[in-house]
């Protein structure tokens, strides 16, 4: 199943170190918007863009083999989305499958095709690498994200696990999609 093209002009490219601040702003605001009512609100309120950017820079500097960070830019060159994909993590082990670790879009650009462009490029790169399927984890209560992934050919595969935030279990479900690689 192919993804429809983006509805606004976006260019997807590999993330650069200089993008870390903007990616953190998108990620933190994305969490605060998408996970409202799904996670403890004090946790979301305490999220800090500056602290996240520091962590993002450290993670980016030591990204392991096979992990790709992508950003989407609008027509003006502003970063409006971020995705990260790499080998599937089964505990500490990496498998031959791909995993979409993250996909966030600037909250003001939601529904404009940015997420489709990032997901499409992530899928293409994994297919080119010869990976047979892509997996991802999504909060069980995040119906908007679940619909987005289902429209892109992903389906729940029956695996669930709790993601614990400040002692509160937040259930996640795993989605899978075969790749054409």
């Amino acid at each position: 199943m192919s993804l429809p093209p983006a509805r606004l002009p976006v260019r997807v490219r590999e993330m650069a170190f200089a993008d870390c601040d903007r990616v953190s702003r998108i990620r933190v605001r994305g969490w605060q918007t998408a996970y409202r009512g799904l996670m403890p609100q004090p946790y979301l309120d305490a999220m800090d863009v500056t602290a996240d950017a520091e962590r993002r820079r450290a993670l980016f500097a030591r990204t392991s083999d096979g992990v790709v960070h992508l950003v989407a830019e609008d027509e003006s060159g502003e970063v409006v989305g971020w995705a990260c994909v790499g080998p599937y993590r089964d505990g500490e082990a990496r498998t031959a499958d791909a995993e979409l670790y993250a996909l966030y879009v600037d909250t003001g650009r939601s529904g404009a095709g940015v997420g489709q462009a990032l997901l499409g490029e992530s899928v293409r790169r994994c297919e080119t690498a010869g990976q047979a399927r892509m997996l991802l984890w999504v909060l069980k209560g995040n119906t908007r994200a679940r619909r987005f992934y289902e429209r892109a050919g992903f389906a729940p595969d029956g695996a669930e696990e709790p993601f614990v935030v400040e002692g509160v279990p937040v259930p996640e479900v795993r989605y899978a999609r075969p790749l054409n690689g």
Side-chain angles (χ1 to χ4, degrees):
M1 167 179 277
S2 64
L3 296 168
R7 291 184 294 279
L8 82 96
V10 292
R11 179 176 80 96
V12 176
R13 64 168 172 81
E14 289 199 22
M15 181 179 161
F17 189 80
D19 298 319
C20 288
D21 288 333
R22 180 69 180 138
V23 164
S24 286
R25 178 166 299 286
I26 291 167
R27 182 183 172 278
V28 167
R29 299 298 178 248
W31 272 62
Q32 291 172 330
T33 301
Y35 303 151
R36 180 172 281 118
L38 301 175
M39 290 188 177
Q41 193 61 43
Y43 177 82
L44 295 174
D45 292 342
M47 292 183 78
D48 180 70
V49 172
T50 302
D52 189 82
E54 289 175 18
R55 282 190 301 278
R56 192 97 7 248
R57 283 189 284 276
L59 288 168
F60 187 80
R62 67 174 198 268
T63 294
S64 61
D65 288 340
V67 176
V68 178
H69 295 268
L70 300 170
V71 294
E73 295 180 330
D74 68 9
E75 60 280 354
S76 72
E78 180 182 14
V79 171
V80 294
W82 166 68
C84 184
V85 65
Y88 181 71
R89 302 168 293 186
D90 186 8
E92 293 299 312
R94 302 293 187 254
T95 73
D97 291 321
E99 180 177 356
L100 181 67
Y101 304 137
L103 192 155
Y104 292 94
V105 174
D106 182 295
T107 56
R109 307 298 178 105
S110 184
V114 176
Q116 290 174 347
L118 284 164
L119 182 58
E121 182 61 19
S122 297
V123 166
R124 280 186 287 283
R125 285 176 181 244
C126 292
E127 286 178 337
T128 299
Q131 291 164 305
R133 68 182 180 151
M134 181 181 278
L135 302 157
L136 61 90
W137 290 93
V138 62
L139 295 185
K140 190 172 190 174
N142 191 345
T143 55
R144 183 177 183 162
R146 292 180 70 172
R147 283 193 306 262
F148 169 78
Y149 292 121
E150 288 165 5
R151 284 192 306 269
F154 287 84
D157 69 359
E160 292 189 24
E161 65 181 36
F163 175 66
V164 179
V165 178
E166 292 189 338
V168 177
V170 180
E172 289 185 304
V173 293
R174 189 173 66 189
Y175 273 62
R177 175 188 165 170
L179 300 177
N180 299 324

